[in-house]
């Protein structure tokens, strides 16, 4: 066979003296080589350089609220949960993590504004790093997506507006439900204090050992309540024009980038979402402006949610992240929102994204990258356990793919 020619991956005859176990091992190795050849067309498994971080694949674990950090303190079971889903050279983004005592709106979500919380994160970060993964902490403030019961002294939640979020939420006991409370519009003079909370929490993230920080500017929470004109009705320098509405986020980005370095910072946005009453009349135009305003900061990445995501369902739509993607020319573009493996491969192949985030699939498949690579079946997730407080059920008890899965499949045939 000439130089450079490719012959059969497995062309050895089966020596009679080989034991059955050795023969099966030989076949499994051949199958693994065939897998490598068969999956060269999977862009998800092409390595990627994310700033100074070398990623071995492009399957990113989404920030997923799990409500298992009792009294805002990250727990040891989170170390198992995250390390189960960690792979060498994989990127994981934590569940949304609070920046202050006023941030809360969901039961038992973690914080990182105190030293106790920061210390509690350290063994979790170590467990992920021990698997060779890159670990970012997502910072948020729920804003009006809250209730007086979550707030110090029963105060009103803060927002860009006094408009109340419609619907009900789960109270701090994790059981009872109530209507969202009417927020108060934060005063202009208070905004620098919120910016400072983000900065200090970002500093704590680095102290805890995280590789970087993602700012949660999506899905109707506090930052998104400022950015979108469908909810922001302010008349000061943080309301009205698109420049004013983006000011809050840009000030947070500037403060956090100065504290930890823009090379460790990403931002999550959901231009098309209408969560908690936060919608925009012209998301393409307004978020193109925001994307362009973010470029001088030289952020590590932006992370945008597809327009097809509406609440807990995916919808058909003609809208697309493509204009936003084209406007972001500075660094990595991460896309999220209802992707299948094949759709993710196509998005990367066509340049619509550099990395793809998966959420629900990662909940029920701790070894999701391996399953994708092998075209293996996925475990079904149980939505009823997404936000419960059990430290095991629906959290760390989803099964892994058998180590000899390919061998077992061969035996069946």
């Amino acid at each position: 066979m000439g130089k450079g020619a490719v012959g059969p991956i497995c062309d050895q005859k089966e020596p009679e003296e080989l034991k059955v176990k050795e023969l099966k091992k030989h076949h499994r190795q051949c199958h693994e080589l065939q897998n490598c050849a068969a999956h060269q067309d999977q862009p998800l498994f092409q390595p990627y350089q994310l700033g100074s971080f070398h990623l071995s694949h492009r399957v990113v674990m989404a920030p997923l609220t799990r409500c298992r950090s009792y009294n805002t303190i990250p727990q040891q079971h989170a170390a198992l949960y995250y390390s189960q889903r960690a792979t060498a050279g994989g990127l994981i983004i934590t569940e949304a993590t609070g920046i202050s005592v006023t941030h809360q709106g969901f039961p038992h979500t973690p914080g990182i504004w105190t030293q106790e919380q920061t210390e509690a994160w350290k063994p979790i970060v170590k467990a992920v790093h021990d698997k060779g993964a890159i670990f970012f902490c997502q910072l948020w403030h729920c804003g009006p997506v809250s209730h007086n019961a979550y707030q110090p002294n029963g105060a009103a939640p803060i927002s860009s507006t006094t408009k109340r979020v419609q619907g009900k939420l789960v109270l701090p006991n994790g059981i009872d439900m109530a209507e969202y409370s009417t927020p108060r519009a934060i005063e202009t003079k208070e905004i620098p204090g919120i910016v400072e909370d983000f900065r200090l929490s970002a500093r704590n993230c680095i102290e805890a050992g995280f590789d970087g920080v993602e700012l949660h500017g999506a899905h109707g929470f506090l930052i998104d309540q400022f950015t979108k004109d469908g909810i922001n009705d302010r008349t000061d320098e943080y309301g009205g024009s698109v420049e004013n509405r983006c000011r809050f986020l840009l000030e947070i980005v500037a403060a956090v980038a100065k504290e930890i370095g823009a090379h460790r910072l990403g931002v999550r946005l959901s231009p098309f979402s209408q969560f908690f009453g936060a919608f925009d009349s012209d998301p393409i135009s307004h978020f193109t402006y925001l994307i362009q305003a973010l470029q001088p900061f030289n952020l590590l990445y932006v992370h945008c949610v597809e327009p097809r995501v509406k609440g807990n369902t995916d919808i058909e739509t003609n809208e697309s992240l493509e204009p936003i993607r084209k406007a972001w020319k500075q660094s990595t573009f991460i896309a999220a929102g209802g992707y299948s493996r094949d759709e993710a491969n196509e998005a990367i192949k066509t340049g619509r994204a550099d990395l793809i985030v998966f959420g629900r699939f990662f909940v029920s498949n701790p070894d999701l990258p391996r399953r994708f690579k092998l075209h293996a079946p996925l475990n079904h997730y149980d939505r009823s356990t997404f936000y419960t407080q059990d430290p095991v059920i629906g959290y760390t008890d989803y099964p892994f793919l058998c180590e000899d899965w390919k061998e077992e499949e061969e035996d069946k045939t």
Side-chain angles (χ1 to χ4, degrees), residues 9-315:
I9 292 178
C10 178
D11 58 0
Q12 298 183 27
K13 295 181 180 180
E14 300 173 1
E16 293 181 0
E17 65 271 16
L18 282 178
K19 295 180 181 179
V20 172
K21 183 177 180 180
E22 293 172 332
L23 186 58
K24 292 176 73 174
K25 180 180 179 181
H26 169 70
H27 278 172
R28 183 168 70 252
Q29 291 171 338
C30 295
H31 275 295
E32 288 172 354
L33 288 171
Q34 287 175 325
N35 254 331
C36 291
H39 297 300
Q40 285 177 352
D41 61 342
Q42 281 211 76
L44 278 173
F45 295 98
Q46 295 171 353
Y48 184 79
Q49 195 67 33
L50 177 65
S52 62
F53 306 108
H54 181 72
L55 304 185
S56 62
H57 60 80
R58 306 186 186 209
V59 180
V60 180
M61 181 177 170
L64 300 163
T65 297
R66 300 310 311 271
C67 299
R68 288 164 167 88
S69 297
Y70 310 135
N71 300 313
T72 75
I73 306 298
Q75 302 293 306
Q76 189 57 40
H77 49 247
L80 176 59
Y81 168 74
Y82 282 113
S83 65
Q84 282 179 335
R85 289 153 180 81
T87 54
L91 173 61
I92 292 178
I93 307 171
T94 69
E95 59 207 283
T97 301
I99 61 162
S100 73
V101 70
T102 65
H103 96 276
Q104 299 174 80
F106 295 80
H108 302 295
T109 53
I112 198 164
W113 71 88
T114 71
Q115 193 61 40
E116 181 183 11
Q117 294 163 340
T118 304
E119 292 298 322
W121 273 114
K122 289 181 179 180
I124 303 170
V125 175
K126 182 180 184 302
V128 171
H129 282 162
D130 285 349
K131 297 288 285 289
I134 293 92
F135 205 14
F136 271 53
C137 185
Q138 189 192 70
L139 297 180
W140 75 339
H141 192 299
C142 284
V145 187
S146 187
H147 187 275
N148 300 74
Y150 282 104
Q151 301 302 314
N153 303 314
I158 62 172
S159 180
S160 64
T161 178
T162 58
K163 297 175 184 176
R164 185 174 66 85
V165 173
Q166 299 301 305
K168 293 184 177 182
L169 79 169
V170 180
L171 291 175
N173 63 17
I175 300 172
D176 297 326
M177 304 280 293
E179 299 283 339
Y180 290 99
S181 295
T182 300
R184 69 175 181 87
I186 187 172
E187 296 182 28
T188 307
K189 64 182 181 182
E190 296 177 278
I191 289 179
I194 304 298
V195 174
E196 180 72 354
D197 288 338
F198 273 98
R199 183 187 71 81
L200 293 174
S201 291
R203 183 171 70 185
N204 288 344
C205 290
I206 302 306
E207 181 185 339
F210 284 105
D211 297 297
V213 167
E214 178 177 283
L215 300 175
H216 194 346
H219 292 164
F221 299 109
L222 185 61
I223 292 175
D224 206 30
Q225 292 271 334
F226 273 83
T227 307
K228 290 179 177 172
D229 63 3
I231 191 73
N232 184 338
D233 56 3
R234 302 178 70 89
T235 57
D236 62 2
E237 59 263 43
Y238 294 92
S241 68
V242 63
E243 293 84 0
N244 284 355
R245 287 183 283 106
C246 292
R247 190 185 309 276
F248 182 50
L249 172 57
L250 294 174
E251 288 180 353
I252 294 170
V253 168
V256 174
K258 184 176 181 180
E259 179 64 40
I260 68 170
H263 64 290
R264 290 175 165 175
L265 182 58
V267 175
R268 191 182 208 206
L269 304 171
S270 57
F272 303 92
S273 73
Q274 300 183 16
F275 287 97
F276 305 119
F279 65 93
D280 199 275
S281 64
D282 188 0
I284 294 297
S285 174
H286 294 165
F287 277 82
T288 295
Y289 167 82
L290 177 55
I291 285 289
Q292 292 170 340
L294 286 170
Q295 300 207 71
F297 291 102
N298 295 315
L299 299 178
L300 183 63
Y301 68 80
V302 293
H303 172 187
C304 291
V305 181
E306 290 283 358
R308 63 186 170 196
V309 175
K310 186 174 183 180
N312 292 327
T313 61
D314 297 339
I315 61 172

